[in-house]
Amino acid sequence: MSGITKELANRIAHFARFPQTGVSLRQMVEFGQNPSQGTLLRAAQFLHDELPIRLAHRVVELDSLPDNLNQMPSVLRVKRMYIDSFNELINFPKVSERIKEAVRSATVQLSAERRHLPENHPNPSCNDMQRNLSSHWIPSIQHRYHYEVKPTELPVEVSEYNRSFVKTLEKIKRRHDPVVTTLAQGIVEYKQLLQTNVVDNHVQHFLDRFYLSRIGIRMLIGQQVELNQQQKHKDYVGVICTHTKVAEVVQEAIDNARFICGDYYMLMNIPEIELHCPKDLEFMYVPSHLHHMIFELLKNSLRAVVELYGDEADAYPPIKVVVAEGNEDITIKVSDEGGGIPRSAMEQVWTYMYTTAQTPMLDPEFDKSDFKAPLAGFGYGLPLSRLYARYFGGDLKLISMEGYGTDAYLHLSRLSDNEEPLA
């Protein structure tokens, strides 16, 4: 690894040899419902160990990319972000022996008084190889996310340590905001170097692993930051809403997508979007993830309809959003009459960089997150949305009728004890 000391390179290689530890949505909720400062410290210790492992895996993979992809300027920028964050975490002060002893004495030891948290189950989005890789190592009791500490009086240093660690996590999260679009820019540079418009399967699988890992890292950081905030929001445990109101989140995505469409095409008459959803439908989920996925699907449908009928059409066929509740899944279908996708192009829509829009060149100092970046020009909307769905055991599928329209099926798992898939 060029540009860093031999000692740091050795430490990255050392951490990359450890397997990652998966956490489920239900574990995060049950752990964080009434966290004490001691419990939050245990979670901080877990992240202090776990995040460098996840970051090191990605640095090693970025460093070993073939065909000079690892030398693209934007790829090197992303690698530098991960190295800097890794370095900050491994140099963050360890918990003092005094604090350890105080928390140790408050830790729930007796099975009679321990609040039993749910076990993880394999995520159905993982293939057999991924499941075997992530399950062959059982973490020790010191390396578990869900480790309960009784809400007893603890030294003030415990809350001070928690606040200091959260500030470091917030800094890392801000640093990584532009990772998606910066790496996308690296792929653009790579395609220009090879003078090709095709992203091969090796790069495709790498991007899937990399972005799935990024979702997990940001989920763990976001959860820890939110749990340490003083104010407690009704129905929220960190970034997770225990009663996510599906109709409300989808309606907000509809309003935002129609606004963006009208603004982009300067329309006086924006296509209507009909929502058919039980008003009282709720489940445990991350509302920002749900909004992001629905917003991307609606953007695609609106664009297809407007470009098929023209931006001066008197009327457009409505887009329909239908939500169905099953025992295992909540399924959201987005149907449009935008002309559909040829069968020969169906696999390509899941390929990063596949887009009919003009791919923008980003300013070197671009620092927006994947929720705010101009992803329409990178062709990342569908593959990233599928990763968000798969992260908690769901999926995203498309069925198209060329000459008529497309149906997108977003499956969201209600079985919230699925372990996150680990790249």
Side-chain angles (χ1 to χ4, degrees), residues 14-243:
H14 171 73
F15 274 82
R17 285 196 289 268
F18 289 94
Q20 301 163 92
T21 303
V23 180
S24 72
L25 187 69
R26 188 174 298 281
Q27 281 181 345
M28 282 189 263
V29 167
E30 299 216 5
F31 163 82
Q33 282 177 331
N34 295 292
S36 65
Q37 284 297 321
T39 306
L40 290 173
L41 181 70
R42 281 293 193 183
Q45 287 179 290
F46 169 78
L47 293 183
H48 199 179
D49 291 338
E50 177 67 15
L51 290 178
I53 292 172
R54 297 192 182 202
L55 293 169
H57 276 269
R58 302 285 71 82
V59 172
V60 169
E61 187 168 34
L62 283 167
D63 198 55
S64 58
L65 291 173
D67 301 326
N68 288 319
L69 177 54
N70 61 348
Q71 296 303 312
M72 296 300 101
S74 295
V75 174
L76 291 173
R77 281 185 64 203
V78 171
K79 189 173 80 169
R80 186 76 249 178
M81 294 176 201
Y82 275 68
I83 290 172
D84 289 346
S85 297
F86 173 89
N87 200 27
E88 275 187 34
L89 284 167
I90 62 172
N91 288 309
F92 190 85
K94 294 283 186 183
V95 178
S96 71
E97 286 302 320
R98 177 170 178 265
I99 295 177
K100 278 184 184 177
E101 183 54 40
V103 174
R104 195 178 295 123
S105 63
T107 298
V108 173
Q109 297 290 357
L110 299 177
S111 59
E113 61 177 321
R114 183 180 295 129
R115 178 163 53 93
H116 291 283
L117 296 181
E119 293 298 318
N120 282 350
H121 293 285
N123 191 308
S125 300
C126 297
N127 58 37
D128 291 337
M129 182 181 296
Q130 288 173 309
R131 287 175 190 155
N132 291 334
L133 284 172
S134 62
S135 63
H136 77 278
W137 179 70
I138 299 174
S140 69
I141 196 71
Q142 288 80 22
H143 197 66
R144 288 182 185 169
Y145 178 74
H146 54 287
Y147 201 94
E148 189 179 5
V149 180
K150 289 182 287 189
T152 55
E153 196 69 31
L154 292 169
V156 68
E157 289 94 332
V158 173
S159 56
E160 289 174 352
Y161 186 92
N162 285 335
R163 280 195 296 271
S164 178
F165 187 66
V166 162
K167 283 183 181 177
T168 297
L169 292 180
E170 288 175 326
K171 181 180 177 183
I172 290 171
K173 194 166 185 283
R174 284 193 300 273
R175 176 186 292 131
H176 289 239
D177 275 350
V179 160
V180 169
T181 43
T182 305
L183 191 54
Q185 186 64 54
I187 303 300
V188 172
E189 295 161 1
Y190 172 69
K191 288 166 65 178
Q192 290 174 342
L193 175 71
L194 297 184
Q195 296 183 331
T196 180
N197 288 320
V198 179
V199 175
D200 64 30
N201 285 336
H202 178 81
V203 175
Q204 174 78 10
H205 293 325
F206 155 70
L207 291 171
D208 273 341
R209 289 192 304 274
F210 190 91
Y211 290 135
L212 191 60
S213 171
R214 181 176 186 271
I215 291 170
I217 289 171
R218 290 178 78 82
M219 183 70 200
L220 289 177
I221 289 177
Q223 188 70 358
Q224 184 73 3
V225 170
E226 286 298 317
L227 288 178
N228 276 271
Q229 301 301 323
Q230 295 300 316
Q231 64 270 30
K232 186 177 170 83
H233 302 287
K234 183 179 180 291
D235 295 334
Y236 272 82
V237 179
V239 296
I240 303 164
C241 182
T242 55
H243 298 285

Side-chain angles (χ1 to χ4, degrees), residues 256-418:
N256 290 343
R258 293 187 75 239
F259 175 81
I260 292 291
C261 176
D263 184 60
Y264 182 81
Y265 290 104
M266 294 183 288
L267 298 176
M268 295 295 291
N269 180 29
I270 305 170
E272 293 294 331
I273 301 177
E274 300 174 359
L275 174 59
H276 304 275
C277 176
K279 296 293 183 187
D280 58 350
L281 180 56
E282 301 175 347
F283 78 129
M284 185 190 299
Y285 210 70
V286 182
S288 59
H289 287 194
L290 177 56
H291 180 279
H292 179 68
M293 292 181 285
I294 298 297
F295 178 70
E296 287 296 335
L297 293 175
L298 291 173
K299 273 201 312 181
N300 284 348
S301 289
L302 285 165
R303 182 176 171 213
V305 168
V306 171
E307 295 193 354
L308 178 66
Y309 288 87
D311 55 13
E312 295 182 357
D314 293 330
Y316 300 96
I319 295 164
K320 295 182 176 130
V321 181
V322 180
V323 183
E325 179 182 14
N327 292 327
E328 294 183 8
D329 287 346
I330 287 173
T331 303
I332 303 175
K333 180 174 75 167
V334 177
S335 300
D336 67 58
E337 296 176 33
I341 304 166
R343 266 195 313 138
S344 60
M346 282 300 291
E347 284 302 313
Q348 289 178 282
V349 301
W350 302 113
T351 304
Y352 296 94
M353 315 305 294
Y354 174 78
T355 177
T356 55
Q358 179 65 39
T359 300
M361 293 297 287
L362 291 182
D363 186 281
E365 301 306 314
F366 184 85
D367 65 351
K368 295 293 188 288
S369 74
D370 42 319
F371 286 94
K372 298 175 183 175
L375 291 181
F378 283 115
Y380 270 42
L382 282 175
L384 270 187
S385 293
R386 185 166 68 171
L387 289 184
Y388 274 104
R390 288 179 171 179
Y391 181 72
F392 285 130
D395 207 352
L396 174 60
K397 297 180 179 180
L398 294 185
I399 296 177
S400 182
M401 295 174 65
E402 187 182 8
Y404 181 75
T406 302
D407 289 348
Y409 290 86
L410 177 61
H411 301 280
L412 306 172
S413 175
R414 303 187 69 176
L415 308 177
S416 51
D417 51 1
N418 289 325

